[in-house]
Amino acid sequence: MNSKHIAIIGAGPAGLMAADVLSAAGMRVEIFEAKPSVGRKFLMAGKGGLNITHNEPMSNFIRRYDQPDWLKPMIDTFDATRIRAWMESLGVDSFVGTSGRVFPTEMKAAPLLRRWLSSLKKRGVRVHCRHYWQGFTDKGDLRFATAEGKKTVAPDATILALGGGSWASLGSDGAWITILARKGVNISPLLPSNCGFKATWSPFLQPHLGKPLKNISGWVKGSEEHASSAEAVLTTYGIEGGLVYALSRPLREEIIAHGSAILYLDLMPHMSEAALVARLTSSRKQSCDNTWRKANLEGVKAALIREALPKEQWGNPINVAACVKKYPITLTGMQPIDEAISTSGGVMRESLNEDLMLHTLPNVFCAGEMLDWDAPTGGYLLTGCFASGVFAAKGVLKTFVRSSTR
């Protein structure tokens, strides 16, 4: 197979990973990025420690995705073990945290990105920044707007890795939707995912906004199997944090269907309701504050109980325990898509073949967050982007092999 010219549009994790695979196979690869530098959202993810993947068994891992049957062949191609091996090949060590999350030892994205780009450069990969993709010419060539004016490129194959619609300032503005829709590509609407949700708090709770709710679990009625155990934070607009991010899919579906959703919290998941009643009962002769404090019910958690129960019930162990173990919060909306960590929706499975090539655009492939899949934070988003980038690149290679044997 002769060396082919591949254009990759988008220099995020999916696009860079596709370039990695294709350049290793001897292809002539060019990456086109709209922003002045590459990997901006990747670097933003690294500010919190760069949780790059997760070490849990695949049977659990794959259930984190909303379309596990579609994603599994991709992730099998580039799973957590392979991601860690790839990092090691770049000289970046990783470790597994107590929760099973995988991080680079330096806990930063920048050192990994620098080594990655250096490796790609050594293989001849060319990166063109400030190249904003504007669609196709009548002949099917790629059209770009650049600082020097309009430019066209005629590659042998193209991989689109343009991201979803969140954090537009970092490059994912969703402008590709109009371009592909005009080409007959079916696209599920982009919606905020891994985002905060709107709720109304009384003035009583104002002093507690911004303080973390730790050691809690949460669920949505009808989706108890997806219960989440993580932290959350009460905010001026409602609630955010890992717990609600993990539940964003069922919460979003409830809000779209009914206009609101109820998030249930167990404020003390490591204690049974009966044990909590017993602990509250044993100290009933003391003040309410002391009784609750001895039961480890204080701070934000105590404020939430006072918010929900009438004052005359604060001394009732049964009512307090019931409220602690199933605390309802009515959510009335989602934060705007540009403030979400990621988006759901995108190019639908039916518009792609088994190699992620668009049916209506031969030799044009899609990868990353612009595909119609959804996952929580915790390493699942990055794994999906990496894996789909690898999968699309291998799809390109398979297509060339098939065409050369005809």
Side-chain angles (χ1 to χ4, degrees):
M1 179 173 58
N2 296 327
S3 177
K4 299 287 188 177
H5 177 206
I6 317 298
I8 298 172
I9 307 179
L16 292 175
M17 192 56 74
D20 204 321
V21 172
L22 291 165
S23 60
M27 301 294 105
R28 181 165 64 92
V29 179
E30 290 188 281
I31 302 174
F32 299 91
E33 167 59 43
K35 307 306 279 185
S37 59
V38 307
R40 291 191 164 201
K41 197 171 181 182
F42 183 66
L43 291 172
M44 177 65 77
K47 288 189 174 182
L50 192 62
N51 176 196
I52 201 160
T53 188
H54 202 289
N55 198 46
E56 68 183 338
M58 179 57 73
S59 58
N60 295 331
F61 190 104
I62 199 63
R63 290 204 302 268
R64 308 294 183 180
Y65 297 88
D66 64 335
Q67 297 203 55
D69 292 343
W70 190 27
L71 271 290
K72 190 172 188 304
M74 303 181 208
I75 292 172
D76 282 341
T77 303
F78 203 65
D79 59 10
T81 300
R82 290 180 174 87
I83 290 173
R84 297 187 70 190
W86 162 74
M87 293 171 66
E88 186 177 352
S89 74
L90 294 174
V92 176
D93 293 329
S94 62
F95 72 95
V96 182
T98 54
S99 64
R101 298 183 179 201
V102 177
F103 301 87
T105 302
E106 293 185 71
M107 296 291 287
K108 296 177 182 178
L112 173 59
L113 183 59
R114 282 195 298 268
R115 288 173 181 261
W116 195 2
L117 293 174
S118 176
S119 172
L120 293 174
K121 186 177 181 180
K122 288 175 182 176
R123 294 207 206 114
V125 175
R126 297 181 62 193
V127 179
H128 307 276
C129 292
R130 294 188 172 91
H131 278 59
Y132 192 88
W133 184 55
Q134 295 188 314
F136 303 93
T137 67
D138 292 340
K139 295 192 302 181
D141 297 342
L142 304 173
R143 294 192 300 113
F144 295 95
T146 76
E148 290 75 36
K150 294 182 179 180
K151 177 178 179 179
T152 60
V153 178
D156 295 302
T158 300
I159 294 180
L160 303 177
L162 290 154
S166 63
W167 289 91
S169 63
L170 301 179
S172 299
D173 62 6
W176 54 266
I177 292 174
T178 301
I179 297 170
L180 294 187
R182 287 173 178 166
K183 295 293 183 178
V185 177
N186 293 325
I187 299 166
S188 180
L190 297 185
L191 296 169
S193 185
N194 293 293
C195 61
F197 287 83
K198 296 176 182 178
T200 302
W201 309 118
S202 73
F204 174 76
L205 266 177
Q206 297 303 310
H208 299 277
L209 301 183
K211 297 176 182 178
L213 270 168
K214 298 184 177 183
N215 299 316
I216 61 173
S217 64
W219 68 96
V220 182
K221 188 176 180 180
S223 299
E224 287 83 357
E225 70 276 11
H226 298 298
S228 170
S229 295
E231 292 187 10
V233 178
L234 305 186
T235 69
T236 54
Y237 67 78
I239 186 168
E240 64 182 25
L243 183 138
V244 290
Y245 299 161
L247 296 171
S248 62
R249 192 188 316 153
L251 288 172
R252 181 179 64 239
E253 290 171 353
E254 278 288 301
I255 289 171
I256 290 172
H258 305 293
S260 66
I262 298 178
L263 168 67
Y264 292 100
L265 299 182
D266 184 342
L267 300 176
M268 300 182 72
H270 304 299
M271 181 181 294
S272 70
E273 188 169 339
L276 180 56
V277 169
R279 185 171 294 190
L280 291 168
T281 302
S282 66
S283 305
R284 287 186 71 181
K285 292 183 180 180
Q286 301 182 28
S287 68
C288 180
D289 285 345
N290 286 336
T291 299
W292 287 14
R293 193 176 298 113
K294 287 188 176 182
N296 295 319
L297 186 58
E298 52 189 337
V300 186
K301 295 181 180 181
L304 283 170
I305 300 304
R306 290 188 170 97
E307 172 96 340
L309 292 180
K311 188 172 183 178
E312 57 269 20
Q313 293 186 25
W314 293 357
N316 186 315
I318 294 175
N319 290 353
V320 170
C323 191
V324 167
K325 298 298 290 182
K326 191 177 181 180
Y327 189 93
I329 299 176
T330 299
L331 306 178
T332 56
M334 301 168 279
Q335 282 297 90
I337 196 167
D338 197 45
E339 295 179 25
I341 292 174
S342 63
T343 50
S344 67
V347 177
M348 298 175 71
R349 184 179 184 178
E350 65 197 47
S351 287
L352 300 151
N353 72 4
E354 67 277 6
D355 297 319
L356 299 182
M357 183 172 73
L358 289 166
H359 291 303
T360 60
L361 293 168
N363 293 331
V364 177
F365 298 73
C366 296
E369 200 181 329
M370 67 183 295
L371 298 176
D372 181 21
W373 58 271
D374 191 16
T377 57
Y380 308 104
L381 288 170
L382 274 175
T383 299
C385 289
F386 286 141
S388 61
V390 170
F391 202 81
K394 291 189 173 185
V396 170
L397 296 174
K398 284 168 61 178
T399 299
F400 288 149
V401 168
R402 285 195 293 264
S403 64
S404 67
T405 57
R406 287 174 185 167

